[in-house]
Amino acid sequence: MASLPPGADSDQLLVEENGSTRTLIMNRPKQLNALSSAMIMGLLRCFTAYEKDDKVKLLIMKGKGRAFCAGGDVAAVVRAINNGSWKYGADFFRNEFLLNYIIATYSKPQVSLLAGIVMGGGAGVSLHGRFRVTTENTVFAMPETALGLFPDIGASYFLSRLPGFYGEYVALAGARLDGAEMHACGLATHFVQLNRLPLLEESLKKVDTSNPFAVCGIIDQFSHQPSLKENSSLNRLEIINKCFSKRTVEEIISALEQEASNSADEWVAATIQSLKKASPTSLKISLRSIREGRTQTVGECLRREYRMVCHVMRGDFSRDFFEGCRAILVDKDRNPKWMPPRLEQVHDEAVEQYFSRINDPQWEDLNLPARRSHGRNIESKL
């Protein structure tokens, strides 16, 4: 194990040095590697230091245990807000989003080995990178609407670039995708069998170049084209495009209910149920976020999402984020009481507020450094 750049918390983030390669290992296996503030700051220091270090050519990201990373540690954020101020949450998300931006615009290749669970903040530290490798045990989701939040970490950038209106479906329904689905829709660049992952890693550790084509060539030697399962949501793109292209959440649900009345497809019923269990406020701000993300750079998406998340934490219109965390993460009764409880009670003016500046003299918009790149291309294999 190598020493971390100064100030990084070495318990929760481990670094291996092999020649020109640095392997960053998220190390909170009992918490499914949920990103703590210390991990985010450690990763920021590593990415910043290694970009300037000519001896470092390639970064590998992985998780210890059965998860890559199950998301940001939002339970800790909520505890800190309840004990102090929403500003603690603002600092947490500011640093996380800055990390996402640096990864999205990084000049050296990053290979993320997405074995196990990849959700929320875990997607933020991997899917913005150059190479994303899934396996047969990968489970991806952006489950934020069930938590009273919205898909953040720049998700409005990468989800809005998926085929058709698949991004709206993944965002609103909190849909779980497997490794083959991530590969097919473009969230992943490669699919490698789990038992071949250690061999791939050993080959990558011998790399002495930052040439992305050379790195891609190595991963190609271990990867193959997986086939989609019969019940994959990607086999229902026609229905998804028909329903999730609608202008409002109410119209999306109505279109799905129309589909349900014409077919006995369990997938349609399950999708309707997911939407009806989610926070109405979250659904509305998430839909608008994805739609705006389609025409924005990754930096513009992150700046807008930072405004949104600060409004969520202040709880001016709705405290659904705190209620969702209580019901899903703390008490675990899985029975949140959303306020307002119905979609029609979430008016356009309320949605609009989430996209405005925070009315607080001490608050600042997310300030991102000037970088050469504007984010990755998401290439569907469909």
Side-chain angles (χ1 to χ4, degrees), residues 97-117:
F97 289 10
L98 173 60
L99 174 63
N100 300 149
Y101 181 67
I102 287 171
I103 288 172
T105 56
Y106 210 59
S107 59
K108 296 177 182 179
Q110 170 188 343
V111 181
S112 298
L113 304 177
L114 304 175
I117 300 163

Side-chain angles (χ1 to χ4, degrees), residues 187-375:
L187 288 172
T189 56
H190 295 81
F191 182 95
V192 173
Q193 289 290 65
L194 194 59
N195 62 358
R196 287 175 65 77
L197 221 49
L199 299 170
L200 167 62
E201 206 179 326
E202 287 311 306
S203 291
L204 289 170
K205 284 174 182 174
K206 299 183 182 117
V207 164
D208 190 27
T209 177
S210 286
N211 183 322
F213 298 103
V215 176
C216 188
I218 291 168
I219 309 172
D220 285 344
Q221 291 170 29
F222 294 88
S223 67
H224 73 277
Q225 188 84 23
S227 47
L228 292 172
K229 292 177 181 153
E230 199 179 324
N231 65 353
S232 168
S233 55
L234 282 166
N235 292 329
R236 296 174 168 85
L237 260 185
E238 199 177 322
I239 295 177
I240 287 171
N241 289 340
K242 185 173 160 188
C243 299
F244 283 86
S245 59
K246 300 291 187 237
R247 194 179 64 82
T248 65
V249 179
E250 290 93 333
E251 289 171 291
I252 288 171
I253 292 174
S254 173
L256 284 163
E257 286 173 338
Q258 186 68 40
E259 287 294 326
S261 66
N262 296 332
S263 85
D265 189 344
E266 285 174 21
W267 174 86
V268 178
T271 302
I272 294 168
Q273 191 183 7
S274 295
L275 294 173
K276 289 190 169 176
K277 277 168 75 170
S279 152
T281 303
S282 291
L283 289 173
K284 290 209 168 179
I285 64 175
S286 298
L287 180 61
R288 173 157 165 187
S289 180
I290 300 290
R291 299 264 156 102
E292 289 200 2
R294 264 199 184 94
T295 57
Q296 293 179 328
T297 64
V298 70
E300 288 167 340
C301 287
L302 285 163
R303 277 191 205 95
R304 171 178 43 70
E305 289 174 15
Y306 182 67
R307 285 186 178 188
M308 293 169 69
V309 84
C310 286
H311 280 291
V312 166
M313 288 181 298
R314 277 168 62 100
D316 294 337
F317 174 71
S318 166
R319 292 188 60 81
D320 280 0
F321 175 49
F322 300 91
E323 173 60 10
C325 286
R326 180 206 64 74
I328 309 295
L329 302 175
V330 182
D331 298 342
K332 300 187 178 174
D333 57 44
R334 307 193 82 77
N335 188 28
K337 300 282 184 279
W338 304 126
M339 285 300 292
R342 294 206 303 280
L343 282 165
E344 60 270 23
Q345 294 169 308
V346 184
H347 302 299
D348 290 348
E349 306 76 58
V351 173
E352 191 70 41
Q353 281 175 25
Y354 283 88
F355 294 78
S356 64
R357 287 180 58 83
I358 302 284
N359 188 15
D360 182 321
Q362 292 180 312
W363 181 87
E364 288 181 2
D365 264 321
L366 181 65
N367 190 17
L368 296 170
R371 309 268 294 172
R372 284 201 204 110
S373 165
H374 293 293

